[in-house]
Amino acid sequence: MARKVLVVGEVRDGVLRNVSFEAIAAAKTISEGGEVVVAILGENVQTLGEELIHYGADRVVAVENEKLATYTTDGYSQALLTVTQEENPEALVIGHTALGKDVSPKLAAKLDKGLISDVTALEVAGGNLVFTRPIYSGKAFEKKIMTDDFIFITIRPNNITPLEKDVNRTGDVTSLSVDVKDLRTVVKEVLRKATQGVDLSEAKVVIAGGRGVKSTEGFKPLQELADVLGGAVGASRGACDADYCDYSLQIGQTGKVVTPDLYIACGISGAIQHLAGMSNSKVIVAINKDPEANIFKVADYGIVGDLFEVVPLLTEELKKLKV
Ligand code: FAD
């Protein structure tokens, strides 16, 4: 059954986030040959429309309003409700990002529709669209179908492969002006933490440190390894609680969820709450002094040893490969 699917593209600092392209790929499967329309919200976002078309969108609606320049729950839910009512799609796809996690339950309630959140895979099986999502902090996966006619899902970033970019694809990019009123929150200023390098949530390689790293200084060899691999540094809550690094690096149940191609856990024991944020990584390497550490149970490759010896050696060898 061909469906019209509306995707919410995500823009940060004037740049489209990868999850937008992943959501288009998910929407293509859901559409079963129908139309995929992407809505992007913000101020002067229309110029980003062409890239979305190149990644598979059939049409793009740029929802412009100066009050949408920064995210607020009220502003985005009003704008998304308007665009959903205007487009009248049969399905809605949003990234399971901080933005998506915040706005989608509200939107689902306003639309009076069900929502399947945090989808990591989808397929057509036995004539049904089947959605896979993790449960029990990633210990198990459940498969769900939507019994309602309307499909509403959020997709976990880094799990669904975007379609190949095709610069010859063409499609309409139109602008829709929306009325945004009665905002209960107004963002006056955004102060960013001075972070260097690759964004942890979207990194293809993550080098994470735990309490075994022992100090802020101890993160330096991890940063060097991340630099060689073009990756980002993350951390366990143990390391954050010990004040070795900032909480923005925390991975796990109460931190960020990452699914990189390569995750290297250094001095991390592998508590269930940590695994909830990284066990879906494609390849997991664990470096730990304790051969009984739980992290080895989820690791594809394990190195029993002192991270302060192993990590610099890895960096050195990888540098040689790069020359
Ligand atoms: P530890 O458990 O102390 O492990 C340190 C490891 O380093 C050990 O395995 C040790 O063998 C190894 N080590 C020591 N020295 C070296 C060395 N020189 N070389 C190699 N290895 C070495 N945790 C998270 O990470 N993320 C979360 O989001 C999170 N949310 C939580 C939510 C709740 C409600 C609760 C109760 C807990 C949560 N936790 C979370 C905490 C979690 O339970 C663990 O306490 C935490 O993950 C432990 O961090 P760690 O592995 O760095 O430290």
Side-chain angles (χ1 to χ4, degrees):
M1 174 196 144
R3 293 181 189 86
K4 177 177 179 179
V5 187
L6 181 65
V7 170
V8 179
E10 223 179 283
V11 183
R12 186 183 287 173
D13 299 332
V15 178
L16 285 162
R17 300 195 74 197
N18 273 345
V19 71
S20 314
F21 310 130
E22 295 162 6
I24 293 173
K28 280 276 179 201
T29 306
I30 296 169
S31 76
E32 298 189 63
E35 189 186 25
V36 173
V37 183
V38 181
I40 34 172
L41 281 65
E43 202 182 8
N44 305 321
V45 285
Q46 197 166 353
T47 48
L48 301 170
E50 199 181 23
E51 197 176 1
L52 292 161
I53 302 278
H54 292 166
Y55 274 98
D58 296 311
R59 191 157 58 78
V60 175
V61 181
V63 186
E64 304 264 4
N65 189 309
E66 57 176 10
K67 289 184 188 151
L68 299 173
T70 24
Y71 176 78
T72 60
T73 315
D74 283 340
Y76 271 55
S77 56
Q78 282 176 41
L80 286 176
L81 189 63
T82 306
V83 71
T84 307
Q85 283 163 347
E86 289 265 332
E87 288 294 334
N88 197 22
E90 278 121 353
L92 193 50
V93 183
I94 304 185
H96 197 70
T97 56
L99 184 156
K101 282 187 240 182
D102 188 60
V103 82
S104 25
K106 184 161 183 157
L107 194 57
K110 285 191 178 224
L111 293 167
D112 196 20
K113 302 291 180 196
L115 165 67
I116 301 179
S117 63
D118 204 11
V119 169
T120 53
L122 66 162
E123 61 187 324
V124 182
N128 281 318
L129 272 165
V130 182
F131 302 100
T132 305
R133 64 187 298 277
I135 50 171
Y136 304 124
S137 299
K139 272 191 131 180
F141 288 87
E142 65 175 357
K143 287 183 184 282
K144 291 204 143 201
I145 56 165
M146 196 67 116
T147 49
D148 200 355
D149 282 346
F150 189 84
I151 292 168
F152 187 2
I153 63 163
T154 59
I155 58 149
R156 184 182 281 208
N158 294 330
N159 278 264
I160 293 159
T161 312
L163 305 173
E164 199 134 317
K165 186 173 180 177
D166 176 1
V167 292
N168 296 318
R169 277 192 101 247
T170 53
D172 276 353
V173 181
T174 54
S175 171
L176 175 74
S177 87
V178 290
D179 199 15
V180 177
K181 52 184 187 237
D182 303 330
L183 294 186
R184 284 171 294 180
T185 45
V186 176
V187 179
K188 295 213 160 163
E189 194 184 0
V190 178
L191 295 176
R192 293 198 192 286
K193 284 216 161 112
T195 47
Q196 46 177 52
V198 186
D199 176 4
L200 179 57
S201 318
E202 299 208 331
K204 295 281 174 217
V205 176
V206 172
I207 316 295
R211 225 187 313 250
V213 168
K214 293 188 176 70
S215 64
T216 305
E217 194 71 7
F219 267 91
K220 278 198 178 151
L222 274 61
Q223 184 64 59
E224 278 162 23
L225 179 56
D227 290 345
V228 172
L229 291 170
V233 169
S236 71
R237 177 154 146 191
C240 301
D241 283 345
D243 213 13
Y244 302 159
C245 61
D246 193 87
Y247 277 103
S248 61
L249 299 192
Q250 186 184 318
I251 292 164
Q253 187 182 316
T254 44
K256 293 195 165 84
V257 174
V258 296
T259 40
D261 293 341
L262 174 64
Y263 189 90
I264 307 184
C266 311
I268 293 178
S269 59
I272 180 72
Q273 296 90 353
H274 185 75
L275 303 186
M278 47 64 73
S279 59
N280 274 355
S281 304
K282 296 196 179 70
V283 175
I284 299 172
V285 178
I287 305 168
N288 199 301
K289 280 203 303 201
D290 175 8
E292 302 298 323
N294 198 47
I295 192 77
F296 288 125
K297 291 192 183 143
V298 295
D300 299 288
Y301 301 95
I303 304 173
V304 178
D306 186 335
L307 72 94
F308 295 106
E309 287 170 23
V310 177
V311 173
L313 276 174
L314 269 177
T315 309
E316 226 172 277
E317 290 304 314
L318 286 164
K319 270 186 188 161
K320 282 184 203 160
L321 287 177
K322 281 200 142 185
V323 184

